[in-house]
Amino acid sequence: MKREHILVIRFSAMGDVAMTVPVVYSLAHQYPDVRITVLSRAFARPFFEDLAPNVGFMSADLKGEYRGLKGLNALFRRLAAKQFTAIADLHSVLRSEYLRMRFNMGNYKVAHINKHRKGRRQITSATHKELVQQPTSFQNYQDVFAQLGYPVEIQFKSIFPAEGGNLNMLPPGMCVKKNYEQWIGVAPFAAHEGKTYPPRLMHQVIEQLIKKYPKARIFLFGRGPQEEQYFTQWCEQHAACVYTGKQLETMHQELILMSHLDVMVSMDSSNMHLASLTGTPVVSIWGATHPYAGFMGWGQTEENAVQISLDCRPCSIFGQKPCLRGDYACMRNITPENIVEKVEMVIEKGK
């Protein structure tokens, strides 16, 4: 009898792919005789490599080797050779829809995600806003597997053991944790301005945290021009700050470090989801977007979310829309004290 083999398709941004991990993990453990192959971009390999014995990973470069219709056809032939018995499209965009069509033509068992666009329009409407919790991404992914005949109950805490990732895999200077130190992660940037707390205010958060916890280490997460500019400045001004991008080479190392943090301060961005995969509590900061859209990190609570009430928010599901007011008050009106208070609450609770 042919062994059941599920293809899970999810490309997109890092945070979206990270949100599939708790569901794929639970699927793998609840159906140990079923093979699961995740198809995504190469960056996602560390999420799935050691997730479970029956989980494999395939990468595909849709902008390179598998670009365009000719590339998608080549990718389909590569996938068809694997003899999958079910296809779970957790992305549902033009490229995955084309692959889905090819699998449907071959009489494969196929299911795809419902993005609940009507509900999302309601919570972001400028004139008739209905602020109602939408199904989470995790629930949406579960629904896909249920359609394929694999109902899943999510039972996931961390990609690492309870004691966290192996610190010996990090550079020697980062691997000492004394009992009296707090390790605090800060990931202050996101892809869009509507999801980014102003750097000037975030610097004040860092200063207040150092004052509150004089023996703390502040690990700054993120890579890019803004990070280079601000992290370099902050590390020069504060000995407690560590620019992780200068010392850690791989995402796997970053995940190991995150697993040992007392708390992560993050935007509604990929670092919120990465920290969530390691079981670390996150103080998340929300501006143009809102937890009700369904993108809160796995295991995180709205209690630890920092946000203010404005008639106009949320104005966007993904944060890319320009501010209707023009001043991004949803972010600028959050005080550093609001954030520090949440961090203190999490640290005290974790003692």
Side-chain angles (χ1 to χ4, degrees):
M1 184 176 176
K2 190 176 181 180
R3 184 182 180 187
E4 295 174 69
H5 190 180
I6 304 173
L7 173 65
V8 179
I9 303 173
R10 179 75 224 208
F11 291 100
S12 192
M14 189 180 298
D16 296 314
V17 179
M19 293 181 82
T20 68
V21 172
V23 187
V24 172
Y25 171 92
S26 302
L27 176 72
H29 283 80
Q30 286 161 40
Y31 300 92
D33 295 328
V34 176
R35 290 179 62 196
I36 302 161
T37 296
V38 178
L39 176 68
S40 189
R41 294 161 64 189
F43 70 73
R45 186 176 295 278
F47 298 156
F48 302 98
E49 268 188 327
D50 300 313
L51 198 61
N54 54 331
V55 174
F57 181 81
M58 290 176 63
S59 66
D61 182 0
L62 299 183
K63 295 183 179 179
E65 182 181 3
Y66 298 111
R67 183 178 180 180
L69 194 59
K70 182 179 179 181
L72 287 176
N73 284 326
L75 178 58
F76 172 76
R77 289 192 293 271
R78 177 188 171 197
L79 295 171
K82 302 287 184 181
Q83 297 187 314
F84 296 106
T85 56
I87 313 299
D89 178 4
L90 304 186
H91 198 177
S92 198
V93 292
L94 283 175
R95 293 185 181 96
S96 67
E97 287 170 2
Y98 180 78
L99 292 173
R100 211 166 72 215
M101 179 195 70
R102 293 294 308 268
F103 281 115
N104 272 317
M105 290 171 63
N107 293 317
Y108 289 79
K109 190 189 299 183
V110 179
H112 67 278
I113 190 172
N114 179 351
K115 296 184 177 180
H116 301 281
R117 289 189 171 92
K118 181 179 178 181
R120 291 180 179 183
R121 285 195 296 271
Q122 289 175 333
I123 69 170
T124 57
S125 171
T127 53
H128 300 94
K129 191 182 301 295
E130 294 182 29
L131 198 54
V132 178
Q133 175 70 57
Q134 299 301 299
T136 67
S137 291
F138 310 107
Q139 181 61 59
N140 292 337
Y141 297 154
Q142 285 176 281
D143 290 344
V144 174
F145 293 117
Q147 289 174 47
L148 293 173
Y150 303 98
V152 180
E153 180 183 349
I154 304 182
Q155 298 171 327
F156 173 85
K157 293 183 178 178
S158 172
I159 58 174
F160 296 115
E163 65 272 16
N166 184 1
L167 286 172
N168 291 326
M169 296 183 68
L170 304 188
M174 302 185 72
C175 298
V176 177
K177 183 170 185 179
K178 299 176 183 177
N179 292 331
Y180 56 82
E181 286 182 327
Q182 294 80 27
W183 277 19
I184 301 171
V186 177
F189 295 103
H192 307 293
E193 188 172 359
K195 297 204 299 183
T196 302
Y197 193 56
R200 174 183 61 85
L201 296 177
M202 184 57 80
H203 187 208
Q204 293 179 33
V205 171
I206 291 171
E207 289 180 322
Q208 290 186 30
L209 288 174
I210 292 173
K211 185 176 180 180
K212 174 72 178 179
Y213 303 105
K215 293 184 178 180
R217 301 180 83 179
I218 311 292
F219 294 97
L220 307 174
F221 288 87
R223 300 171 189 267
Q226 288 190 100
E227 285 86 347
E228 178 69 28
Q229 176 188 348
Y230 288 103
F231 291 0
T232 300
Q233 291 177 12
W234 297 344
C235 288
E236 288 174 352
Q237 294 175 42
H238 308 290
C241 289
V242 179
Y243 185 173
T244 60
K246 292 293 187 183
Q247 300 194 37
L248 303 181
E249 297 178 355
T250 67
M251 185 194 301
H252 185 63
Q253 288 182 324
E254 291 192 12
L255 290 167
I256 290 172
L257 178 57
M258 287 183 187
S259 72
H260 290 273
L261 298 177
D262 295 291
V263 60
M264 167 70 89
V265 178
S266 174
M267 308 299 104
D268 168 22
S269 68
S270 61
N271 280 295
M272 170 179 65
H273 297 293
L274 298 185
S276 298
L277 295 187
T278 70
T280 293
V282 179
V283 170
S284 52
I285 303 170
W286 302 75
T289 59
H290 196 285
Y292 280 9
F295 295 102
M296 177 70 83
W298 175 253
Q300 307 301 334
T301 66
E302 195 173 340
E303 179 187 14
N304 293 341
V306 182
Q307 55 186 332
I308 60 173
S309 296
L310 289 172
D311 291 339
C312 57
R313 72 171 293 266
C315 63
S316 173
I317 294 297
F318 303 109
Q320 78 279 25
K321 295 180 180 179
C323 178
L324 296 172
R325 296 169 45 122
D327 61 355
Y328 291 98
C330 56
M331 278 295 186
R332 297 175 190 270
N333 288 359
I334 294 174
T335 68
E337 288 75 17
N338 291 154
I339 298 169
V340 172
E341 183 180 338
K342 292 283 188 182
V343 172
E344 290 180 45
M345 184 178 69
V346 171
I347 290 177
E348 289 303 310
K349 189 179 293 185
K351 285 183 177 179

